[in-house]
Amino acid sequence: ITAVAVDSATNTYFIATSDSGLSVFNGNTWVNFNTSNSGIASNKLTCLKVKNNIAYLGSSVGLSIYNAGTILNYTVNNSTLQCDTILSLECDNLGNLWIGSTKGLLNFDGVNFSSVSAFNNQVISAVCFADNYLWISAQEIFRMQNNSIKSI
């Protein structure tokens, strides 16, 4: 197991694994989504973030989004995603998905991906949204608010 998340509005549990894809428990039934029975891009998930009953799944082959049984995959080959190796995921209070990758910090607004140039080609191992700041772990710790970045 690489990550566990709960959607508190629906009491749905999401479990990302390192070799079996995504398992979803709705309170009664477990359903597993993997490369052989669904459109999930990889069984080897590196991270997971759930918001509004949508699961965002990171792997070494891009970003998968699970929404009510449907899976969409984003890669460098089929989207504006700049890096396929996803290490961390976080949502902010504006609905943006922040993506830590091996090539920097990315933002997904639901349609397009963009990179934060201050972090280009840095490994972003963790992102966390708290106190209206995006906290970023790269070679050091940073916090970002309204595109203002401060080293901590």
Side-chain angles (χ1 to χ4, degrees):
I1 294 175
T2 55
V4 176
V6 179
D7 186 310
S8 57
T10 62
N11 274 341
T12 303
Y13 293 78
F14 298 84
I15 298 175
T17 70
S18 61
D19 60 1
S20 299
L22 174 70
S23 293
V24 180
F25 182 66
N26 65 7
N28 297 311
T29 310
W30 283 99
V31 178
N32 184 258
F33 297 90
N34 57 52
T35 56
S36 65
N37 72 1
S38 72
I40 197 168
S42 176
N43 288 334
K44 298 176 181 181
L45 302 176
T46 55
C47 52
L48 162 70
K49 181 65 182 178
V50 174
K51 185 155 186 170
N52 300 325
N53 213 33
I54 298 171
Y56 301 92
L57 312 164
S59 72
S60 63
V61 294
L63 175 71
S64 296
I65 300 176
Y66 167 91
N67 186 356
T70 301
I71 297 174
L72 298 174
N73 295 302
Y74 296 91
T75 69
V76 296
N77 294 323
N78 71 3
S79 71
T80 56
L81 181 66
Q82 292 95 337
C83 177
D84 280 335
T85 304
I86 310 295
L87 302 175
S88 57
L89 298 165
E90 181 63 276
C91 293
D92 65 18
N93 59 358
L94 299 174
N96 294 302
L97 177 68
W98 293 92
I99 302 166
S101 77
T102 56
K103 292 190 178 178
L105 180 65
L106 311 171
N107 176 280
F108 181 59
D109 63 8
V111 178
N112 294 305
F113 294 91
S114 60
S115 63
V116 178
S117 61
F119 297 102
N120 283 352
N121 297 315
Q122 290 189 48
V123 175
I124 307 298
S125 58
V127 289
C128 174
F129 187 76
D131 302 323
N132 289 318
Y133 288 98
L134 185 68
W135 295 84
I136 303 152
S137 172
Q139 295 167 339
E140 54 187 295
I141 303 296
F142 297 90
R143 73 176 190 195
M144 185 172 83
Q145 183 180 48
N146 301 325
N147 293 323
S148 173
I149 301 168
K150 181 179 180 182
S151 175
I152 303 297

